[in-house]
Amino acid sequence: MEKKLQNQVAIVTGASSGIGAGTALELAKAGAVVIVNYPFAGSKDAADVIVSEIRADGGNAQSYQCDVSKEPEVEKMFADTVTQWGTVDILINNAGIQKDAPFTSMSLEAWNQVLAVNLNGQFLCAREAIKEFLRRGVHPERSVAAGKIICMSSVHEVIPWSGHANYAASKGGIMMMMKTIAQEFAGKKVRVNSIAPGAIKTPLNHAAWETPEALQSLMNLIPYKRIGDVSDIGKAAVWLASDDSDYVTGATLFVDGGMTLYPGFEDNG
Ligand code: NDP
């Protein structure tokens, strides 16, 4: 049977860990060639583990070092990918960090670092991806769209989060960037959507699940009463990247076990 993303080329940023790694694996299972991006030399081994896993499963992947907040590095990653694999069909704009602090003691450095990776990084990668989608145009044997971008947002694009102003601002920014470029390029058959994960078990939020007490407390925020797995996000990403979702653009898909359903009102408020 033809796989949904057969021979399409996907760049997954921040794929050496967590959601990015899980999404890389799901995209590869769906037939995509996956560029497993990692930021620094120290994370190459982790990225290579994902590449090996994909290859062992019969898929095709390559690790690639690039700090998404650095314009020349992003430009080079896209140029090298096009040289090596012919084009880019799918961008999973996933790389993200947290630098938490109470607002009055949040340093400008912590604010800038989070915005640089979470928002500037998504801007730089989306810009290069769209340039390539427009250059190549639609090839129906690949996909009925010229290209697909999936921005990894968060429930915190809509839920305010004390102590995380930089992170929440970056995710709110992603929401409007995503919708704006979806509007700007829909006529060119480029689809741009976001996934807003709730609590997914990754190193980023380990404090929220690593003790039984923390996990129990987390369940107060999740009507579906389980923490998310990276494959929950990866499977949603495959759908948004495939032609099955061809009429979907400018949307945020919340994959959150109901976290955005105001769980405080579960017992009549
Ligand atoms: P992880 O910390 O597990 O993974 C983050 C990935 O991004 C790592 O591979 C990291 O590399 C990479 N990265 C960090 N900085 C850069 C950079 N400058 N350039 C390229 N890659 C970089 O986090 P998650 O998997 O949990 O998070 C992934 C995305 O999902 C983020 O955007 C996050 O905001 C979002 N998200 C996560 C949720 C969760 O519950 N986990 C909930 C909602 C949203 P390295 O490990 O080498 O530093």
Side-chain angles (χ1 to χ4, degrees), residues 29-66:
K29 273 192 227 162
V33 174
V34 182
I35 311 307
V36 176
N37 162 249
Y38 63 96
F40 314 114
S43 31
K44 182 175 188 334
D45 287 353
D48 284 340
V49 167
I50 304 304
V51 169
S52 302
E53 222 176 299
I54 290 172
R55 289 184 183 155
D57 201 32
N60 210 346
Q62 175 200 351
S63 62
Y64 195 101
Q65 184 181 345
C66 162

Side-chain angles (χ1 to χ4, degrees), residues 13-20 37-40 43 66-69 94-97 117-118 122 152-155 167 171 197-200 202-205:
T13 67
S16 48
S17 174
I19 289 173
N37 162 249
Y38 63 96
F40 314 114
S43 31
C66 162
D67 177 342
V68 297
S69 68
N94 168 77
I97 57 170
V117 176
N118 295 16
Q122 291 216 9
M152 208 54 71
S153 182
S154 163
V155 291
Y167 185 83
K171 298 302 183 180
I200 311 298
T202 75
L204 186 73
N205 62 352

